[in-house]
Structures are given as C-alpha cells and as structure tokens.
Amino acid sequence: MMTKLDSVQYNVVALVVPGSSLFETSIAAEVFGQPCPAPVAKSRWYRFRIATPLPGSVKLDLANLDVEHGLRLLHNAHTIVIPGWPSKAIVTLELARSLRNASKRGARMVSFCTGSFLLAEIGLLDGLTVTTHWGAIDRFRERFPSVQVDPNVLYVDNEQILTSAGSSTAIDLSLHIVSKDFGVHTANAIAREMVTAPHRHGGQAQFATSQPTLTDDPQGIGSIIDWMSSHINQDLPVHEIARQWHMSPRTFSRRFSAIVGEGPHQWLIRQRVKRAQELLEQGHTVEHAASLVGFKSAMAMRPHFKRITSTSANQYRRSFARP
DNA sequence: AGTATTGCCCGCCACG
DNA sequence: GGCGTGGCGGGCAATA
C-alpha cells in the first residue's frame, strides 16, 4: 500500500490514444503539471507526463499531440489518469496488462468522463460504485452490469480508483486529489491559479441540463451563502436563517438545495470542515480548529471530518500541518 | 455505550 | 392544469 510518506515522488501519467479527449488531457496537465507551489517540497511534487501505446503524433479528438512516451511509463507511475476514452478504441492485450499490473502494485487509477469505460473494460471496476459522463450512463450500465454507477455525483473516490463525471468535473476530481495529497490549502492555490471554484459539490444533474451559476439566482441565494460563510462560526439554525430572509424554512431549504445541491445544514457542516482543514494545516490543534469554525467541540467535528475527508482530523493535522 | 431529544430534510398535499 | 409556495409528519441523523 502506497502512502503519502513513503512515495518520494508522485509520478502522474496520463494515458491517451487516438481520439482521447484533448480537453481532459489538458486538465490533467494543467493541475498535475503545475510548477511546485511554494510550501510543498519540490521533491514531493507531481511529475506529470503523457503516455500512449504508439509514441509519436497522436490524433486526439480536437488536435494532434506529440507524445514521446510509451506504455513503459505506466510501470512506475504512482497515478494513472485516463481522460475521456473514445468508444471505438481497441484495448490491446499489452495495454490491458500494463494497466492491470499497475493497479495490482497499488497505482492510483483515475478516470475522467468516459475514461471509466477503459477501467471497466479491463475489470478494475467490478463491484465498485463509480461515475461517468451522464450521457454515457445507459451504455455503461448495459455493458458493465457488475459495476454500480452513481449519476448524481461529480466524482467518486474509492481510494485507489477515482472516477469523475462529465468533462469539467475532471477539474473537481483533480483538485480533490491534490487536496488528498497536499492538503486543501495547496488545492486552493492551484484552483486560484486556474481561476476556478476550489470545490463544487452536488449532483451532475444540475450540470447536465442547465448550469446554475450565481448569475441565475433570482432568489438571491448567493448573498445568503455569503452571509452564512461569514457567520459560519456561529450557531446557525436553518429556520433562523429562513426567518431572517423572510422565507419559510421549507422554501429556504428548497431554494438552497436547488442552487447548491445539498441542504443548508449539510452545506454548513461541509464548509466548517473545509475551513477546519486549513486551520489544521496552519498548525492549530484539533480542538482549537473545531471551535474556530463553529463546531461546539472537537468531538462534534470528528465524525463529520472523517466522513467528508475520509481521514481523521488528527491524522490530517499530522500529515499537513506546517509549523 | 445507550438513550432521549432536537433539528434537518424530504415527500406529500393543499392553496393561490 | 402548471407552478411556486408553505405547512405537516415521518424518518433519520446529530447532539446532549
């Protein structure tokens, strides 16, 4: 089992074939190919490269790409990224074997969008719950009945195997991975660099048809969110917030969920945990961080922290605290 | 650790 | 009948 501490370097390899998605390949390059951000030791930061079965000029979906590396790169990759996979691409025995071997020795497998088809094809997803592009879900289910698909998430984290939904969710998943490896602070720095929202949450249903940005927010939920963010360290019962904005609790809840993708209380907890992560990175104690972000105690925060980050608060602090 | 209570949230339905 | 709203009740998780 590979852990943060014993890997000297995160070798990240994106695997492309003719027809692969240029956009998603670029996202991987953009996130994992970033220059090492200041607080991270250079030797620990990602080394990003692209591999393809037949090195040379590869005709991706939107443009040609010169790829100099072959499948050999997969041998010692720590993380393998599969950008959108063309439906008619043939999975050669050599490719399947390389990927299975990588997976067997513990390499992290990441798929964007239809990249999950490749992972499923070679049997790595059996028994797991994953996600994929919303438009390909029916096809996916039909072809891989032993794999559960969750259409309502941006990405699914199975520790060693991570899958994301439609194109732009590749960014969400990539940043999620950065935050697992180097902490949310670093992920946020990368997000700023890329000028994107550090973390979105919610089902892809809301992205499939219309994308609710804060500009189509007639009810002004956006300003309520701002207010909630700045009062996050206080006790904020949902019915009180509703009253303050002259709405019934029911209506407030409904409007909030429609825009944000989860209920107000759940959202608050998530924000608190996220903020606590940053405080822990700054070296605050778990108790102190918990109270600063509005939890009544560290005890109250622990289960939420564990559920949302899949690490304990103490563990997180040990891994990422900067003195 | 188990229990009691509170608060959230979602489905349902009635109202305008 | 369609649409947004608000109230109620149950299920359920969070908290004490």
Side-chain angles (χ1 to χ4, degrees):
Chain A
M1 172 84 174
M2 227 177 253
T3 70
K4 293 170 188 74
L5 298 175
D6 62 30
S7 65
V8 263
Q9 189 171 43
Y10 290 101
N11 264 317
V12 180
V13 177
L15 174 68
V16 301
V17 293
S20 284
S21 163
L22 171 68
F23 179 63
E24 289 152 25
T25 306
S26 306
I27 289 172
E30 184 74 17
V31 174
F32 301 110
Q34 285 278 332
C36 178
V40 178
K42 259 221 173 70
S43 60
R44 292 195 56 230
W45 187 243
Y46 301 113
R47 178 183 191 193
F48 177 79
R49 285 171 297 175
I50 300 175
T52 188
L54 295 170
S57 177
V58 181
K59 194 175 187 320
L60 301 191
D61 58 346
L62 298 176
N64 292 335
L65 187 68
D66 253 334
V67 182
E68 58 175 306
H69 303 287
L71 295 182
R72 186 179 292 274
L73 266 197
L74 300 182
H75 295 348
N76 65 345
H78 169 279
T79 298
I80 296 173
V81 181
I82 319 288
W85 186 255
S87 53
K88 65 273 178 201
I90 294 158
V91 183
T92 63
L93 279 178
E94 189 198 6
L95 176 56
R97 194 178 313 125
S98 299
L99 287 171
R100 284 203 197 96
N101 285 341
S103 172
K104 225 172 276 170
R105 71 175 161 74
R108 186 163 58 182
M109 313 297 278
V110 178
S111 74
F112 296 158
C113 196
T114 52
S116 52
F117 278 76
L118 173 58
L119 298 183
E121 187 76 43
I122 61 174
L124 293 183
L125 303 186
D126 288 344
L128 292 180
T129 297
V130 305
T131 192
T132 189
H133 188 268
W134 61 271
I137 282 177
D138 289 342
R139 188 154 59 86
F140 189 94
R141 285 195 172 126
E142 199 174 308
R143 193 144 150 215
F144 309 109
S146 54
V147 184
Q148 290 295 313
V149 189
D150 185 343
N152 295 314
V153 293
L154 299 177
Y155 55 79
V156 179
D157 178 352
N158 285 302
E159 275 314 314
Q160 204 201 329
I161 294 187
L162 303 94
T163 52
S164 77
S167 281
S168 69
T169 61
I171 300 176
D172 299 275
L173 177 55
S174 300
L175 292 172
H176 170 72
I177 290 171
V178 174
S179 83
K180 280 175 67 124
D181 295 342
F182 297 101
V184 280
H185 180 84
T186 303
N188 287 345
I190 303 272
R192 271 196 300 279
E193 194 65 36
M194 295 174 67
V195 198
T196 183
H199 190 262
R200 297 190 292 164
H201 179 268
Q204 60 174 311
Q206 55 184 313
F207 301 102
T209 48
S210 67
Q211 305 193 349
T213 58
L214 289 181
T215 54
D216 71 0
D217 175 21
Q219 282 92 13
I221 293 293
S223 55
I224 304 183
I225 289 178
D226 289 344
W227 182 87
M228 287 167 73
S229 299
S230 56
H231 294 77
I232 203 157
N233 53 341
Q234 300 168 21
D235 197 23
L236 298 175
V238 172
H239 67 270
E240 282 298 326
I241 308 174
R243 199 174 52 83
Q244 195 159 333
W245 268 269
H246 311 109
M247 275 182 260
S248 73
R250 187 73 185 86
T251 296
F252 171 57
S253 241
R254 225 186 327 239
R255 290 183 182 173
F256 191 98
S257 303
I259 302 276
V260 178
E262 66 185 335
H265 189 241
Q266 283 309 306
W267 180 87
L268 265 173
I269 289 174
R270 185 178 305 280
Q271 298 309 307
R272 285 177 174 147
V273 167
K274 206 158 77 177
R275 202 164 294 187
Q277 285 182 281
E278 294 183 25
L279 294 174
L280 292 173
E281 288 171 29
Q282 289 164 21
H284 290 87
T285 63
V286 176
E287 285 74 16
H288 195 212
S291 75
L292 281 178
V293 302
F295 287 108
K296 296 227 169 68
S297 67
M299 210 182 116
M301 177 173 78
R302 280 196 183 94
H304 295 299
F305 197 100
K306 175 80 183 172
R307 178 171 48 84
I308 290 167
T309 68
S310 47
T311 349
S312 74
N314 275 310
Q315 173 80 51
Y316 190 85
R317 184 169 185 274
R318 274 200 300 277
S319 304
F320 299 125
R322 302 184 296 272

